[in-house]
Amino acid sequence: MSEPAIMSHREIRERIATLPRLDIALKNTPLEEARNLSRALGGPRIFFKRDDLTGVALGGNKLRNLEFRLAHAMKDEPDTVIVGLDLQSNSARQTVGACNKLGLKTILVLEGRKPNNVQGNLLVDYLLGAEVHFAADPREQRAMLDGLAEEVRSKGGRPHILNDNPMFDVASAVAYLEVTLEVLEQLAARDLAPDYFYMSSSGKGSAGIMLAQKLIGGFAMHAVCATAEFDLPSRTARIANETIAALGLDIAVTEDEVINTEDFVGKGYGIPSEAGDEAVKLVARTEGIILDPIYTGKAAAGMIAHIREGRFSQDDVLVFVHTGGTPAIFTWNELWL
Ligand SMILES: Cc1ncc(COP(=O)(O)O)c(C=O)c1O
């Protein structure tokens, strides 16, 4: 038996409502049962939370957190948002889309070199009209962020460097605390409750689902990371505890409670893996749902490996949070031919 819930959904929503917020993403995204995938794996019930369908600029998980990040930024009435991210960042694409909706100019400083064949997220960044700069490494990227902000200021503009936004991490955790409420309510409408959540996360979104786990109980959060560059238990616990403080909650998350595996990263961040590519194909060919080889495919590979290991019973209910990232399939076109 799980512990009784500490807070009701209404009380949690009231706490979230104390934070400044804009309306950017399509929320209450569908929860879709993947019956063919379950059958193919001889496994538990699997539901996909379709957060790839959040609307703006091809959708994804970041639009939800941008509602809080940009609301915070708007206090200073910026006219330009400057952000430093990776070359093929989903976050960059969604940030430009969200800023377009708000009438803000976006300057991207992406780590990497401009490829000869511009594809995937980078192509969409250009289509959305972002001003795109490239930095060789994080040091140069930081210097360019500051330099570009100064340049905007010198021309009378009002820049906001999104990387310095205090809501940067907390916004994602709050967003996925709310997503968990959506999922619980969508399952309850079918007389079901979740046993396990799976999600690609480097500790921001998964921290939010962990908070829901603590506040409501009854399920476990399994995050699968796309990078090995973080100390995930401490990062996730830190973000969860910062979020607890931002929401004025009376709980704590410790490192030893965090389940976030690096086992499916493969050769490294941004490099497709055999297990991830197999998962992308399996989900596409059983359900018509498109994952990506960098984040969601690797997370699905983790879930599928655990199912194949026999960790779950037929009646268990698994929720896979589809965090988007689909434009990456076009940068890796040779994998699908
Ligand atoms: C498709 C996708 N999934 C998952 C993540 C990880 O999200 P977070 O670490 O915010 O939970 C990202 C961003 O880094 C992403 O682009």
Side-chain angles (χ1 to χ4, degrees):
M1 280 288 286
S2 59
E3 299 283 312
I6 296 174
M7 281 174 92
S8 67
H9 290 205
R10 186 179 51 79
E11 287 168 324
I12 297 171
R13 284 201 165 93
E14 280 170 5
R15 294 298 174 103
I16 295 173
T18 61
L19 300 174
R21 181 175 198 169
L22 299 165
D23 186 16
I24 296 170
L26 299 183
K27 293 171 284 289
N28 278 309
T29 50
L31 185 75
E32 188 179 3
E33 183 159 15
R35 290 195 180 83
N36 295 335
L37 180 63
S38 286
R39 211 172 297 125
L41 295 167
R45 297 184 75 169
I46 305 169
F47 290 82
F48 278 67
K49 176 62 171 167
R50 298 295 306 272
D51 255 23
D52 54 321
L53 303 179
T54 51
V56 182
L58 301 176
N61 60 340
K62 307 299 178 190
L63 292 167
R64 298 225 191 213
N65 72 42
L66 284 160
E67 296 199 339
F68 299 100
R69 286 179 181 173
L70 291 174
H72 191 91
M74 291 307 256
K75 287 191 205 154
D76 301 329
E77 299 182 6
D79 58 10
T80 307
V81 168
I82 307 178
V83 63
L85 289 159
D86 296 322
L87 186 67
Q88 281 292 353
S89 163
N90 295 301
S91 189
R93 162 179 51 84
Q94 291 165 75
T95 302
V96 186
C99 287
N100 285 2
K101 250 180 107 83
L102 300 175
L104 303 172
K105 177 179 172 174
T106 323
I107 303 179
L108 298 178
V109 183
L110 303 178
E111 194 187 338
R113 284 156 63 125
K114 186 174 179 178
N116 294 332
N117 183 19
V118 173
Q119 255 298 1
N121 284 310
L122 183 59
L123 179 65
V124 186
D125 296 340
Y126 281 108
L127 168 63
L128 291 165
E131 180 180 314
V132 186
H133 299 260
F134 299 90
D137 54 49
R139 259 174 68 136
E140 188 184 30
Q141 187 177 45
R142 182 67 237 187
M144 286 173 74
L145 292 176
D146 295 330
L148 286 159
E150 200 40 57
E151 211 176 294
V152 171
R153 243 177 255 118
S154 71
K155 290 181 187 153
R158 296 177 307 279
H160 175 84
I161 300 180
L162 200 61
N163 304 68
D164 299 338
N165 187 308
M167 287 299 287
F168 200 84
D169 293 340
V170 167
S172 305
V174 172
Y176 279 84
L177 170 59
E178 184 176 83
V179 168
T180 317
L181 302 183
E182 287 181 18
V183 171
L184 292 171
E185 288 157 13
Q186 287 167 317
L187 283 173
R190 304 173 202 211
D191 282 330
L192 291 171
D195 295 297
Y196 301 92
F197 278 77
Y198 275 83
M199 176 179 175
S200 173
S201 182
S202 62
K204 301 196 293 294
S206 57
I209 300 183
M210 281 199 73
L211 288 188
Q213 178 189 334
K214 287 244 147 190
L215 294 169
I216 299 165
F219 56 87
M221 171 64 214
H222 285 224
V224 184
C225 199
T227 170
E229 80 188 79
F230 300 115
D231 174 355
L232 289 166
S234 73
R235 178 178 155 90
T236 311
R238 172 186 59 77
I239 295 171
N241 289 318
E242 283 173 16
T243 309
I244 286 167
L247 294 173
L249 300 171
D250 190 19
I251 52 170
V253 170
T254 55
E255 288 183 23
D256 55 316
E257 295 173 289
V258 175
I259 305 174
N260 194 337
T261 177
E262 291 176 4
D263 292 353
F264 298 88
V265 172
K267 292 204 179 88
Y269 172 68
I271 306 168
S273 68
E274 218 172 288
D277 304 345
E278 193 238 336
V280 174
K281 286 182 192 160
L282 183 62
V283 172
R285 291 169 192 186
T286 52
E287 298 295 339
I289 295 174
I290 307 297
L291 301 176
D292 80 284
I294 304 305
Y295 291 96
T296 53
K298 290 180 181 179
M303 177 180 75
I304 289 167
H306 292 171
I307 293 173
R308 286 179 176 147
E309 282 167 20
R311 291 194 189 192
F312 310 111
S313 77
Q314 298 280 320
D315 298 333
D316 278 341
V317 173
L318 272 55
V319 176
F320 182 86
V321 182
H322 187 338
T323 47
T326 38
I329 59 167
F330 301 107
T331 23
W332 297 100
N333 52 330
E334 70 278 12
L335 295 175
W336 327 117
L337 296 170

